[in-house]
Amino acid sequence: MLDAEILLTIKLQDTLFADPRRIELLRQIKQIGSINQAAKLAGVSYKTAWDNIDAMTKISPKPLLERSTGGKQGGGTQLTSYAERLLQLYDLLQHTQKRAFDILHEENIPLDNALVATAKSSLKTSARNQLFGKVSGLKQKGALVWVDVNIEGMNEPICAVITEKSSKRLELTLGREVMLLIKAPWIKLNAQPTGLNDFMGKIVTVEQNEVIIEMQQTTFCATTESDFSAQVGEQIPLHIEPEQIILAAI
């Protein structure tokens, strides 16, 4: 990866709120408990430090600093919980920015789809099957919602069943981009058809207790039983229980 320097700034009310220098001042205040000492460690004058902290304080939704009294040092300046969270958020945004730039060079990751880019660049799960698609159907039955998802390269949608509360939390609507997470053991091979999530695929790899199946332009990973005897190149039916599909969205 290229050693890129990305300087993150945050504005509030169209006015500079946080930048690397101001964040460094807050970090030093957190460590030292003194604006004067923090300014020296940050390599700026006390006036510059105070002007920057004052500018932040004037537009901050909540206080950033608080005075502490007593103790061995005779009191000092401390960060508020809001300022502590600001430092954590800044670190998170910096990490996200850097990873976002890194994927510029990974041409297999599309940059026109926020869900795909975010998941493929940052998300790691134990689910071997991670599919991306768009909601094509929503049907509520009692407290459950049946969600049809069209996957690019598949002729039929995959159906997932989730609770009504989960559907609302994900803000599911027709056309909503979602990710499906399916663990390998949840894919049943040579299963009797149920009329829902029944597919045919071609075996492309068999290794130990794991089999890779190609279905149109999509591949699935499934685990096998000890008596599994199908060979590479054979067609095989597979079934996915709708209740064993996890949906994710951003």
Side-chain angles (χ1 to χ4, degrees):
M1 296 296 178
L2 293 176
D3 186 15
E5 182 181 14
I6 304 174
L7 301 180
L8 172 65
T9 61
I10 301 174
K11 285 188 175 184
L12 295 178
Q13 305 171 27
D14 293 326
T15 303
L16 177 64
F17 177 58
D19 64 5
R21 181 169 64 175
R22 292 181 175 182
I23 290 297
E24 180 60 21
L25 279 172
L26 291 180
R27 290 193 203 285
Q28 295 299 339
I29 292 172
K30 176 182 177 181
Q31 294 295 324
I32 306 300
S34 163
I35 296 179
N36 186 36
Q37 293 299 316
K40 292 179 180 179
L41 292 173
V44 298
S45 68
Y46 176 78
K47 182 179 185 305
T48 298
W50 177 253
D51 287 345
N52 276 275
I53 295 298
D54 185 54
M56 293 183 73
T57 301
K58 286 179 179 178
I59 60 174
S60 176
K62 295 182 179 181
L64 297 172
L65 304 178
E66 58 187 8
R67 296 288 299 175
S68 61
T69 58
K72 294 182 179 180
Q73 304 299 323
T77 302
Q78 295 181 336
L79 300 189
T80 63
S81 59
Y82 180 78
E84 295 265 11
R85 285 180 59 80
L86 174 60
L87 291 182
Q88 293 175 339
L89 175 65
Y90 196 87
D91 286 343
L92 177 63
L93 291 175
Q94 278 190 314
H95 174 77
T96 303
Q97 275 197 150
K98 184 180 184 309
R99 186 58 189 136
F101 184 80
D102 287 344
I103 67 174
L104 173 65
H105 310 284
E106 299 179 28
E107 297 185 1
N108 63 312
I109 299 179
L111 297 179
D112 58 350
N113 186 310
L115 176 61
V116 176
T118 300
K120 289 195 173 183
S121 66
S122 304
L123 184 65
K124 293 182 174 127
T125 78
S126 62
R128 293 294 305 277
N129 302 285
Q130 299 178 16
L131 308 174
F132 299 90
K134 293 184 178 181
V135 176
S136 59
L138 290 167
K139 184 182 295 184
Q140 185 166 346
K141 297 180 181 179
L144 299 177
V145 177
W146 300 68
V147 186
D148 288 333
V149 181
N150 282 344
I151 308 296
E152 186 175 358
M154 290 184 61
N155 296 331
E156 301 175 50
I158 294 180
C159 180
V161 175
I162 62 176
T163 65
E164 179 186 7
K165 288 184 178 180
S166 293
S167 176
K168 289 181 178 179
R169 186 171 63 252
L170 294 174
E171 300 178 345
L172 295 186
T173 56
L174 295 180
R176 179 88 152 102
E177 293 177 339
V178 294
M179 178 171 65
L180 290 75
L181 299 173
I182 309 168
K183 298 187 73 170
W186 296 348
I187 296 180
K188 304 304 180 184
L189 303 178
N190 289 318
Q192 292 297 319
T194 66
L196 188 64
N197 287 352
D198 297 316
F199 306 100
M200 288 293 296
K202 183 177 71 173
I203 298 175
V204 294
T205 303
V206 178
E207 292 185 0
Q208 298 179 343
N209 294 327
E210 186 175 278
V211 57
I212 303 298
I213 301 167
E214 187 178 74
M215 187 168 54
Q216 287 113 46
Q217 300 176 33
T218 305
T219 59
F220 290 88
C221 176
T223 54
T224 62
E225 301 294 338
S226 58
D227 59 349
F228 184 78
S229 59
Q231 302 296 314
V232 172
E234 289 186 24
Q235 293 288 323
I236 188 170
L238 62 90
H239 171 75
I240 307 170
E241 284 293 330
E243 293 85 355
Q244 292 186 313
I245 297 175
I246 297 173
L247 293 183
I250 60 173

